């Protein structure tokens, strides 16, 4: 008899998991989404390192239209005055099929959605209550429908209301002290950076990242700016004060519409009180953005969980938590170091950082240790 899996949330993590379970005839999977439709309007970019493209290729990611993604070959580091410090090869971690990829989030969501038949997704479904009945989970929805399942996967984002409801406590992420500002741009004649690579400009208490998101000339622009929390942020004023004041040549990059939001992270992963309920993606753990591993870790975790359930492993929950904790520590350590080093202001420390960047980005040993054990997964 097939095992029933309910996935709450139709983001990258949930849809990846659903596509994976669909490949195994031992499971019957349904995605429940509280919204009435699946939003495909989010045009901002995401980066997928090889640890996630390897997983996505198992569900035919390679069939995405070639014009709708990009494979940058380098990460270029720039100083506050636009001088190139060094570059880091991303190709070194690629295989013939699994490559570092950048694209619009909406492009990935649409691909994942298209891999599911209509009967695998149900909209307008908000969880009201979860209870256990003979080792199965009964999910009651606010529209008075229900589902009795063998496994439940909650992947409804960093502000997971479902998690707080299930665990009967208010579980909230924490503000990490920075604001993200995003825009989509097309390079003009005076664009100072490589259009085929990722560019990272390091400023005082801020950094800017620019990278192509398809082969149509569109690029993602994102700034991470250290800032005290405020519910009212004017992104244009923030950019003028914290970015353009440091480098006037960046002004032309911000002529399009800007979106901003505070960056939240998770204090610690949460283990459910139910042994057959698992948290996934940002509902499990939200990473700082300075390693560009948020989407990749969601995809990687979905694959880990799928394999554990497919193998019928004993002590599933603890195995999943153990695997995830190892990765969280690894990615977080590097994210915190990046966050610190990208935002230096002391001239001596900046000079030291730039010198070390030149050395480390060409060191085989360092790159294999710092990036290889994250990007290269089997």
């Amino acid at each position: 008899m097939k095992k029933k899996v309910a996935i709450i949330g139709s983001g990258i993590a949930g849809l990846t998991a659903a596509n994976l379970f669909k490949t195994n005839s031992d499971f019957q999977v349904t995605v429940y989404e509280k919204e009435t439709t699946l939003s495909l309007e989010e045009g901002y970019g995401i980066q997928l390192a090889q640890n996630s493209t390897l997983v996505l290729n198992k569900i035919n990611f390679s069939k995405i239209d070639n014009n709708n993604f990009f494979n940058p070959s380098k990460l270029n580091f720039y100083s506050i005055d636009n001088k190139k410090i060094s570059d880091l090869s991303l190709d070194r971690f690629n295989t013939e099929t699994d490559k570092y990829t950048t694209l619009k989030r909406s492009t990935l969501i649409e691909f994942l959605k298209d891999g599911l038949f209509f009967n695998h997704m149900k909209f307008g479904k908000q969880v009201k209550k979860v209870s256990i009945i003979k080792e199965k989970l009964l999910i009651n929805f606010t529209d008075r429908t229900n589902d009795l399942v063998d496994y439940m996967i909650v992947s409804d984002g960093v502000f997971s209301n479902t998690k707080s409801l299930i665990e009967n406590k208010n579980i909230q992420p924490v503000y990490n002290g920075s604001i993200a500002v995003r825009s989509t741009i097309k390079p003009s004649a005076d664009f100072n950076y490589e259009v085929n690579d990722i560019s990272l400009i390091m400023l005082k208490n801020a950094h800017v990242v620019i990278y192509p998101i398809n082969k149509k000339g569109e690029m993602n622009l994102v700034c991470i700016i250290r800032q005290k929390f405020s519910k009212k942020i004017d992104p244009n004023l923030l950019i003028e004060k914290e970015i353009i004041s440091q480098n006037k040549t960046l002004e032309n990059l911000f002529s399009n519409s800007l979106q901003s939001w505070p960056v939240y992270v998770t204090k610690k992963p949460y283990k459910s009180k139910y042994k057959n309920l698992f948290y996934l993606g940002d509902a499990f753990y939200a990473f700082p953005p300075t390693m560009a591993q948020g989407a990749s870790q969601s995809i990687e975790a979905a694959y880990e969980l799928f394999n554990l359930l497919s193998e019928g492993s004993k002590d599933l929950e603890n195995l999943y938590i153990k695997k995830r904790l190892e990765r969280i520590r690894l990615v977080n350590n590097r994210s915190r170091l990046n966050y610190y080093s990208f935002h230096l202001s002391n001239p001596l420390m900046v000079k030291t950082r730039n010198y070390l960047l030149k050395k480390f980005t060409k060191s085989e040993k360092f790159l294999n240790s710092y990036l290889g054990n994250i990007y290269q997964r089997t």
Side-chain angles (χ1 to χ4, degrees), residues 42-59:
E42 294 174 332
Y44 62 79
I46 56 172
Q47 300 181 45
L48 300 176
Q50 294 83 342
N51 58 315
S52 54
T53 55
L54 179 151
V55 173
L56 291 174
N57 282 331
K58 296 178 186 296
I59 52 175

Side-chain angles (χ1 to χ4, degrees), residues 61-124:
F61 182 63
S62 58
K63 292 184 179 180
I64 280 189
D65 187 324
N66 188 58
N67 288 316
N68 290 336
F69 65 88
F70 207 92
N71 298 121
S73 59
K74 290 189 300 183
L75 167 59
N76 297 311
F77 296 90
Y78 291 89
S79 62
I80 194 170
D81 55 359
N82 285 344
K83 290 182 180 178
K84 184 175 175 179
I85 301 165
S86 63
D87 59 66
L88 184 156
S89 171
L90 298 172
D91 285 342
R92 62 180 289 113
F93 302 111
N94 288 345
T95 67
E96 187 175 341
T97 55
D98 309 319
K99 299 180 179 180
Y100 201 103
T101 301
T102 53
L103 71 170
K104 288 183 178 180
R105 181 184 184 275
S106 56
T107 300
L108 179 57
I109 291 290
E110 186 163 16
F111 158 75
L112 293 169
K113 178 263 298 181
D114 288 346
L116 301 171
F117 295 113
F118 181 75
N119 61 341
H120 286 292
M121 298 188 70
K122 294 185 179 180
F123 294 94

Side-chain angles (χ1 to χ4, degrees), residues 66-259:
N66 188 58
N67 288 316
N68 290 336
F69 65 88
F70 207 92
N71 298 121
S73 59
K74 290 189 300 183
L75 167 59
N76 297 311
F77 296 90
Y78 291 89
S79 62
I80 194 170
D81 55 359
N82 285 344
K83 290 182 180 178
K84 184 175 175 179
I85 301 165
S86 63
D87 59 66
L88 184 156
S89 171
L90 298 172
D91 285 342
R92 62 180 289 113
F93 302 111
N94 288 345
T95 67
E96 187 175 341
T97 55
D98 309 319
K99 299 180 179 180
Y100 201 103
T101 301
T102 53
L103 71 170
K104 288 183 178 180
R105 181 184 184 275
S106 56
T107 300
L108 179 57
I109 291 290
E110 186 163 16
F111 158 75
L112 293 169
K113 178 263 298 181
D114 288 346
L116 301 171
F117 295 113
F118 181 75
N119 61 341
H120 286 292
M121 298 188 70
K122 294 185 179 180
F123 294 94
K125 296 287 186 178
Q126 186 168 352
V127 177
K128 181 180 180 181
K129 181 182 177 183
V130 175
S131 52
I132 192 161
I133 299 179
K134 294 182 179 179
E135 296 188 346
K136 293 192 176 186
L137 293 172
L138 177 65
I139 310 170
N140 297 107
F141 297 97
T142 54
D143 63 359
R144 298 184 180 180
T145 60
N146 59 69
D147 195 6
L148 185 65
V149 301
D150 296 281
Y151 301 107
M152 182 176 177
I153 298 171
V154 176
S155 58
D156 57 347
V158 64
F159 291 98
S160 176
N161 293 325
T162 309
K163 180 165 64 175
S164 294
L165 183 149
I166 290 168
E167 307 302 339
N168 197 29
K169 59 176 69 175
N170 186 24
I171 306 169
Q172 294 294 324
V174 295
Y175 178 58
N176 91 323
S178 61
I179 301 290
V181 180
R182 292 185 186 266
S183 183
T184 301
I185 64 171
K186 284 199 171 185
S188 57
D190 57 353
F191 187 72
N192 295 316
Y193 309 99
E194 294 290 335
V195 296
N196 294 326
D197 294 324
I198 302 172
S199 296
L200 170 64
I201 305 107
M202 296 176 288
L203 308 163
K204 297 176 182 177
N205 297 316
H207 71 278
V208 179
V209 182
I210 312 166
Y211 56 87
I213 48 178
N214 52 41
K215 297 181 181 69
K216 305 169 188 176
E218 291 183 297
M219 303 191 79
N220 187 66
L221 168 69
V222 60
C223 309
I224 304 297
I225 304 169
R226 290 178 186 251
Q227 193 75 202
K228 290 183 179 179
F229 179 80
S230 173
K231 290 184 178 180
K232 293 183 179 180
I233 291 286
D234 183 329
N236 293 287
L237 290 178
L238 185 63
I239 290 297
E240 180 68 36
K241 179 183 176 183
E242 303 295 340
I243 302 295
I244 297 172
S245 65
Q246 297 189 56
N247 185 336
K248 290 289 185 183
T249 66
L250 296 175
E251 188 170 11
N252 290 338
L253 297 177
F254 298 95
S255 57
N256 292 349
S257 175
L258 302 177
Q259 290 183 312

